[in-house]
Amino acid sequence: MTKKKILVTGGAGFIGGNFVQYMVKKYPNYDIYNLDLLTYAGDLTKHRDIETNENYYFIKGDISDREKIIQLFEKEKFDYVVHFAAESHVDRSITNPGIFVHTNIIGTQVLLDAAKQVGVIKFIHVSTDEVYGELDFDPNTFFTEETPLQPNSPYSASKASSDLLVRAYYETYGLPVNITRCSNNYGPYHFPEKLIPLTISRVLNEQKIPVYGDGKNIRDWLHVLDHCAAIDLVMHEGIKGEIYNVGGHNERTNLEVVKTIISTLGKSEDLIEFVTDRLGHDKRYAIDPTKLENLGWKPTYTFETGIAQTIQWYLDNKEWWEQIISGEYRNYFENQYNI
Ligand code: NAD
Ligand code: DAU
């Protein structure tokens, strides 16, 4: 297999971090460059086991820093860009939309310019099913790649804007791109602000679980390693210019998810606390992944096997999520990378 240089943006975050690990281990002949600003969501302790690998490099940097990004692309001449870096939490976008516009839109445009200027084999833009807006509770309706974009939160609006820029760079300049839009990921190293890791960590600490509204909103859960395999496939086999939806056919109400975690850990449902609903809370997401399945992708986890593995991982890695919650993990890279 020919040696390739892969730039992964946001590789210190949840999905990007799992993807970096997956690629470094699966493709010893590829050089994996992890470019990350190490915001509150970035954590390098997850890469302790690969940080001395010969095919792994970390670069601390901001995707919206035009001058440095162009210089980096000119120096390294990446073959592929897999772009995860983003502000990703819907609740934060409701209280502070500006940083979402800056990172998710401007940051993506800077990367597109750099890729266009220097040239790449493929630019893979990791997006979200949230750009399609929400579905009603009819179980026969799904998001397809043709569903119109109707984002409802500042987060999803910023992601939809970046998707449109990626599309425009393909149509206007012929930049070879793919866009992937996936449903809710879960699995190891998920930051404990999101529903599943927040619930697991709070149940283990016997703290109340805040369930927004009536808990009947539905999400379609995808194990992060199935997502990594999907991106690997799209990177190598995806038809240039195409969009691929990634989903697990694992729809659950939020209340079902929370109750599953509580019962697996043998605790009481009294921990559930219904709280004020999220503003503009999308009712339901559900993906039709047929197009990606036709390319050869199949998820390996059901929700049952995936959530059991994930709960076990949080039991086995209490030290990791405790340091994240306390903020202590920041000492690790402050010492190492001298921010
Ligand atoms: P995350 O918040 O865990 O990680 C984001 C990473 O990006 C962090 O390491 C952070 O330090 C880095 N980052 C932020 N701003 C940056 C900047 N200006 N320059 C460089 N790095 C920066 O996010 P995640 O949940 O892993 O999501 C990754 C991508 O996948 C995002 O683009 C998100 O929109 C998309 N996505 C996530 C999900 C999900 O369920 N988590 C589902 C669909 C799509
Ligand atoms: O669908 C893909 C999206 O999934 C990604 O694009 C986002 O980056 C990712 O954060 C995720 O967005 P959600 O808003 O769906 O995920 P979150 O874990 O924040 O919430 C899941 C559901 O649980 C949602 O209906 C809100 C609800 N919730 C969330 C939290 C944090 C609660 O009821 N209580 C909570 O404390």
Side-chain angles (χ1 to χ4, degrees):
M1 204 177 292
T2 348
K3 199 160 178 75
K4 295 273 186 298
K5 276 190 172 187
I6 322 290
L7 177 69
V8 179
T9 72
F14 163 47
I15 309 175
N18 276 282
F19 186 72
V20 161
Q21 289 272 336
Y22 171 101
M23 293 296 284
V24 164
K25 289 168 188 167
K26 179 166 176 187
Y27 297 106
N29 202 30
Y30 286 5
D31 283 335
I32 309 298
Y33 292 76
N34 171 9
L35 168 68
D36 199 294
L37 184 59
L38 300 178
T39 67
Y40 82 95
D43 145 59
L44 285 178
T45 67
K46 57 171 66 94
H47 294 319
R48 275 193 181 120
D49 63 328
I50 57 164
E51 66 186 8
T52 56
N53 278 38
E54 280 182 2
N55 68 336
Y56 171 71
Y57 305 85
F58 176 70
I59 305 158
K60 182 172 181 277
D62 183 343
I63 55 166
S64 67
D65 185 337
R66 175 169 291 276
E67 209 182 308
K68 291 212 178 109
I69 292 295
I70 304 266
Q71 273 172 12
L72 176 70
F73 274 66
E74 278 174 346
K75 177 166 173 256
E76 299 295 347
K77 306 223 171 351
F78 300 113
D79 295 295
Y80 290 89
V81 178
V82 188
H83 174 36
F84 294 93
E87 289 294 332
S88 70
H89 192 36
V90 174
D91 291 330
R92 287 178 188 257
S93 83
I94 294 167
T95 49
N96 185 15
I99 183 75
F100 285 73
V101 171
H102 182 79
T103 300
N104 299 358
I105 306 176
I106 307 293
T108 300
Q109 194 229 339
V110 167
L111 290 169
L112 288 167
D113 277 343
K116 167 168 112 34
Q117 190 166 316
V118 180
V120 289
I121 296 174
K122 187 90 81 69
F123 185 106
I124 294 97
H125 177 62
V126 180
S127 189
T128 168
D129 60 358
E130 294 199 20
V131 299
Y132 298 122
E134 65 178 356
L135 294 164
D136 61 24
F137 291 111
D138 172 357
N140 298 312
T141 54
F142 298 95
F143 295 135
T144 72
E145 289 79 3
E146 277 71 47
T147 303
L149 303 190
Q150 285 189 317
N152 291 319
S153 72
Y155 161 69
S156 51
S158 70
K159 290 297 289 188
S161 308
S162 63
D163 286 20
L164 294 180
L165 280 170
V166 174
R167 178 191 141 82
Y169 275 61
Y170 171 70
E171 295 291 341
T172 307
Y173 308 112
L175 186 73
V177 304
N178 283 126
I179 297 174
T180 59
R181 293 183 179 142
C182 74
S183 55
N184 286 60
N185 282 219
Y186 68 102
Y189 295 114
H190 203 179
F191 198 91
E193 65 185 351
K194 310 277 168 64
L195 180 69
I196 287 183
L198 178 124
T199 302
I200 299 173
S201 56
R202 291 184 77 90
V203 171
L204 287 173
N205 285 337
E206 307 255 0
Q207 291 167 320
K208 291 278 188 190
I209 320 301
V211 172
Y212 299 164
D214 58 12
K216 291 189 179 147
N217 300 59
I218 291 175
R219 296 294 181 264
D220 178 358
W221 293 97
L222 175 70
H223 193 279
V224 67
L225 292 180
D226 283 331
H227 187 196
C228 292
I231 293 172
D232 180 8
L233 180 68
V234 170
M235 185 181 138
H236 290 98
E237 308 287 341
I239 297 165
K240 286 171 189 162
E242 293 292 313
I243 297 166
Y244 294 93
N245 283 351
V246 196
H249 274 311
N250 283 308
E251 290 180 48
R252 298 286 184 285
T253 67
N254 294 337
L255 208 48
E256 283 169 338
V257 169
V258 168
K259 285 185 178 177
T260 299
I261 295 169
I262 290 174
S263 75
T264 306
L265 290 170
K267 303 286 174 162
S268 159
E269 288 184 7
D270 292 346
L271 288 175
I272 294 172
E273 183 172 40
F274 290 96
V275 300
T276 311
D277 209 352
R278 174 184 276 175
L279 294 177
H281 196 173
D282 285 336
K283 284 200 270 296
R284 172 173 168 257
Y285 306 145
I287 287 264
D288 175 355
T290 308
K291 186 171 170 182
L292 187 64
E293 284 171 354
N294 289 340
L295 198 68
W297 177 81
K298 227 168 74 175
T300 56
Y301 288 90
T302 62
F303 186 68
E304 285 66 36
T305 58
I307 196 71
Q309 182 258 17
T310 302
I311 292 171
Q312 190 58 48
W313 187 90
Y314 278 81
L315 282 166
D316 295 341
N317 292 275
K318 197 159 191 262
E319 202 189 316
W320 178 80
W321 55 264
E322 277 183 337
Q323 62 158 3
I324 296 289
I325 291 171
S326 70
E328 276 172 32
Y329 69 107
R330 307 202 71 81
N331 298 334
Y332 177 76
F333 56 76
E334 274 164 18
N335 292 336
Q336 291 223 334
Y337 297 99
N338 197 23
I339 298 169

